[in-house]
Amino acid sequence: MRSLAAVATATTALGGVGAAAAEDDYEVIEAQGQTISLEEGETWENKLIDMTTGQDIVVTAHSSDWTIRNVGFKGENTSGTGSATFGISDTGNGTSTVENVYLGDGASTGNTNPNGHGQTAFWVAPDHNGHIDFENVNIQNFSDNAIYGSAPGNKGGGTIHIDSSFAANCYVSHFRLGTEGSKVTNSSVYVDTNEGYVGRGIWAWAPGTVEVEDCQIEMNGQNTAIDAGANGNPTEVVVTDSEYDDGAGIAEHAGSTVKLGDNVGTDPEPVIPSGVPTSPEEAASGGSD
């Protein structure tokens, strides 16, 4: 685990280890309003997406057994509201993977509305019926959900596992799941009240059960750390070996239940899990600080 202060100091002093990587380690793609679509079994990796163009780029994967790996986004997403950078699902009952992705430069507040639909980092479509593993993902300052994965709960029923990932200062929620067998492990959520977006930490939708294990949820008293239930439908969350901000607390809607198991406390430490990229170049090159 790395503290946020330590990461900030290292980035300021060194520019980030990944910044020194040669560009021939990865492909640079300028955002020009294009859509990139993955086919079944395809791997899309080692890309640095240049968002300083002021244009959008959308990556879609609605097939099976695909992999998105080593991708870094440089610059804020300024494309506007109501869209997602990644639209994904595994529609063939297979297993797909998202790993080592940096979306830490966020979305421009000038083009987003915290009270409406803003910019989502990852949207998992309702037809998702397989499994998606997220690992070593860094998402910050998006005006909608960081990982919006609750939609399959009432349709495809596919599962999602978020592991060793970091989300900070996003609106609506940071990790949003809804199907039985979905879980968040070894991950951190952080809200800094100076950044503007103060969405829920982990939001569980029906039908559940959603598992939370070995997580740190530091909200600085904002919104809700763990929120269960939505739209009048109940769900269940099981929490173990985790720390959450009791100033933000836990919410249970429509008969939902949040079960606090072993080693659950209220003294979270805002940390970036080991292996999570902290710069676009680091992600694109597949390196680690």
Side-chain angles (χ1 to χ4, degrees), residues 90-241:
D90 190 301
T91 56
N93 293 293
T95 297
S96 295
T97 302
V98 177
E99 61 182 356
N100 206 52
V101 175
Y102 178 85
L103 282 159
D105 290 352
S108 169
T109 56
N111 276 6
T112 53
N113 177 10
N115 297 314
H117 292 289
Q119 197 71 24
T120 297
F122 287 92
W123 155 255
V124 182
D127 290 336
H128 171 57
N129 59 21
H131 180 78
I132 299 175
D133 284 315
F134 287 87
E135 185 174 7
N136 294 345
V137 175
N138 187 338
I139 306 168
Q140 300 183 47
N141 294 95
F142 272 75
S143 57
D144 206 302
N145 301 267
I147 297 179
Y148 190 153
S150 61
N154 293 313
K155 192 172 183 183
T159 54
I160 295 168
H161 182 191
I162 301 168
D163 184 60
S164 298
S165 293
F166 179 74
N169 301 316
C170 296
Y171 192 66
V172 184
S173 72
H174 292 78
F175 299 138
R176 176 170 168 174
L177 303 174
T179 51
E180 182 175 1
S182 292
K183 54 188 175 181
V184 185
T185 60
N186 309 307
S187 296
S188 294
V189 172
Y190 178 68
V191 170
D192 179 349
T193 55
N194 295 322
E195 293 296 324
Y197 295 136
V198 290
R200 302 164 182 85
I202 296 174
W203 195 7
W205 282 52
T209 298
V210 172
E211 300 176 37
V212 177
E213 181 181 355
D214 287 321
C215 289
Q216 302 290 317
I217 308 170
E218 174 57 87
M219 306 293 292
N220 279 304
Q222 302 298 308
N223 211 313
T224 307
I226 302 172
D227 202 334
N231 290 348
N233 296 309
T235 189
E236 181 179 80
V237 182
V238 176
V239 186
T240 56
D241 300 314

Side-chain angles (χ1 to χ4, degrees), residues 10-100:
T11 302
T12 301
L14 304 175
V17 172
E23 288 191 7
D24 57 8
D25 289 341
Y26 49 80
E27 177 186 5
V28 177
I29 300 175
E30 292 188 353
Q32 299 291 346
Q34 68 269 52
T35 297
I36 296 172
S37 298
L38 276 66
E39 303 297 330
E40 182 172 351
E42 184 176 355
T43 296
W44 193 66
E45 61 185 344
N46 298 106
K47 313 293 184 184
L48 190 146
I49 310 302
D50 183 3
M51 302 296 291
T52 64
T53 60
Q55 300 296 311
D56 197 8
I57 188 169
V58 174
V59 181
T60 66
H62 299 293
S63 53
S64 190
D65 299 321
W66 46 262
T67 298
I68 295 168
R69 178 192 297 128
N70 302 340
V71 180
F73 287 74
K74 185 173 185 177
E76 290 183 335
N77 188 315
T78 61
S79 61
T81 64
S83 61
T85 300
F86 287 89
I88 60 176
S89 59
D90 190 301
T91 56
N93 293 293
T95 297
S96 295
T97 302
V98 177
E99 61 182 356
N100 206 52

